[in-house]
Amino acid sequence: MSGQLEDTVAISREITHAYFAGNMEPYLSRLCSKSVWLGTGGRVLIGGDIIRARLEAGVEKRKYSYQIAQEEYTPLALTPRCQAVMGEVRASNPDRSEDSVMASYTFLYQLIGTETKLVLLHANYEFLHPFSLNEDGPKLEMSAYQFVRDVLIEIPPKKRLAVPCGSTTLFVQPDMVFYVQSRNRKAELHCVDKIIQSDLSISEVNAMLPETFCPIHRCYTVNSRYVMSVRRYEAALITGEVLPIPFHNYMQVKADLERRITG
């Protein structure tokens, strides 16, 4: 199968302009199972489905768009099938001139079959007026970071999980995982520092997990070390996230969690 990379600078410019206008589709259309997103202050997103779900939710919360005032893109050819583009952008809110942002990007493109796909986007934002896009879901407060740190310090290292992601296998420390979620028949691992879209089903991941993990729903398995409370039909985590517990087996799940948490 032959092909060649498209104009990566033109793609990068299209993605950037659309993003600041509130349209994620030019970026999302370039994703694949190997794609990785790294943003300012958030967890790493690994896998196209996870990136799409997180970023679409973030754009829905934006109340206005930005206009680009200055931009510069520098291409870097790595191999015939792989190119990088570095971008520097300044943008502002036309209705509130005091709201402006300086952004730097690293786009990494790869020819997969005959398609030019974006396998890495590293985005760094400096907002000149306090503003958060909240694109990457819940963030840990300092007290929560300290809680996680204490948990990890106290626990001896365990056998790591071998998690296949496309052509890559990631080795994940189980106690770095907050919970596992099933989406589109694939398991997503929500970790302290990243979110991983695996090639496994949630049942296959469950079979690998240690005793501290508890299935609470057919689509959710939670690390009991990070459960802060259990109330009717839901479990609240240290991250502030709340996961559902089905009505019909709530009492059994509650008992299982209590046994794991109290030891």
Side-chain angles (χ1 to χ4, degrees):
M1 191 175 294
S2 61
Q4 63 179 17
L5 285 164
E6 299 174 45
D7 185 339
T8 55
V9 169
I11 295 172
S12 302
R13 182 179 289 108
E14 178 188 13
I15 288 172
T16 304
H17 278 256
Y19 168 76
F20 280 107
N23 176 17
M24 294 298 302
E25 195 53 39
Y27 169 53
L28 298 177
S29 68
R30 296 285 174 177
L31 296 177
C32 65
S33 62
K34 298 171 61 175
S35 297
V36 177
W37 182 87
L38 297 89
T40 304
R43 284 181 275 178
V44 179
L45 306 180
I46 302 175
D49 290 346
I50 287 178
I51 296 171
R52 174 178 286 274
R54 290 282 173 158
L55 298 192
E56 283 182 336
V59 168
E60 288 177 1
K61 297 177 183 178
R62 291 172 60 180
K63 297 181 174 63
Y64 39 76
S65 61
Y66 279 65
Q67 290 183 351
I68 293 177
Q70 296 177 319
E71 59 185 327
E72 182 177 352
Y73 303 90
T74 304
L76 176 63
L78 303 175
T79 73
R81 300 180 65 86
C82 187
Q83 290 184 7
V85 176
M86 276 65 76
E88 296 286 340
V89 174
R90 182 185 179 100
S92 60
N93 174 8
D95 299 321
R96 299 174 60 185
S97 59
E98 70 275 15
D99 281 342
S100 60
V101 57
M102 293 292 296
S104 59
Y105 299 103
T106 300
F107 302 88
L108 183 63
Y109 298 93
Q110 183 176 343
L111 191 63
I112 298 178
T114 59
E115 296 183 298
T116 300
K117 293 295 185 180
L118 186 55
V119 295
L120 171 68
L121 173 57
H122 182 196
N124 184 63
Y125 299 100
E126 179 184 355
F127 290 95
L128 307 184
H129 182 75
F131 177 73
S132 174
L133 299 181
N134 295 320
E135 292 172 334
D136 54 346
K139 292 184 174 66
L140 292 178
E141 300 294 338
M142 183 56 65
S143 59
Y145 272 117
Q146 292 169 347
F147 181 93
V148 173
R149 179 203 62 193
D150 293 343
V151 166
L152 296 176
I153 287 174
E154 292 176 1
I155 301 171
K158 293 183 175 64
K159 182 186 295 184
R160 287 185 290 172
L161 311 174
V163 181
C165 305
S167 59
T168 302
T169 297
L170 300 177
F171 297 97
V172 181
Q173 162 63 264
D175 287 306
M176 292 288 284
V177 181
F178 291 133
Y179 65 95
V180 182
Q181 178 181 0
S182 177
R183 189 197 302 271
N184 299 327
R185 299 184 179 180
K186 292 185 178 181
E188 298 177 359
L189 282 72
H190 293 248
C191 306
V192 174
D193 58 340
K194 62 177 69 73
I195 304 175
I196 302 167
Q197 177 187 312
S198 76
D199 294 335
L200 303 175
S201 68
I202 193 168
S203 60
E204 291 173 317
V205 172
N206 286 346
M208 301 162 55
L209 295 172
E211 175 68 12
T212 51
F213 284 80
C214 180
I216 63 171
H217 185 285
R218 64 185 178 83
C219 293
Y220 292 96
T221 299
V222 68
N223 188 339
S224 62
R225 298 187 187 277
Y226 300 116
V227 174
M228 299 305 293
S229 66
V230 179
R231 48 187 179 265
R232 283 202 175 272
Y233 319 131
E234 60 187 24
L237 307 188
I238 186 68
T239 60
E241 293 165 282
V242 177
L243 306 183
I245 302 175
F247 167 82
H248 65 274
N249 62 349
Y250 168 75
M251 294 305 296
Q252 182 60 56
V253 169
K254 182 174 182 288
D256 290 344
L257 279 172
E258 286 181 353
R259 177 175 57 83
R260 286 170 168 84
I261 292 169
T262 62

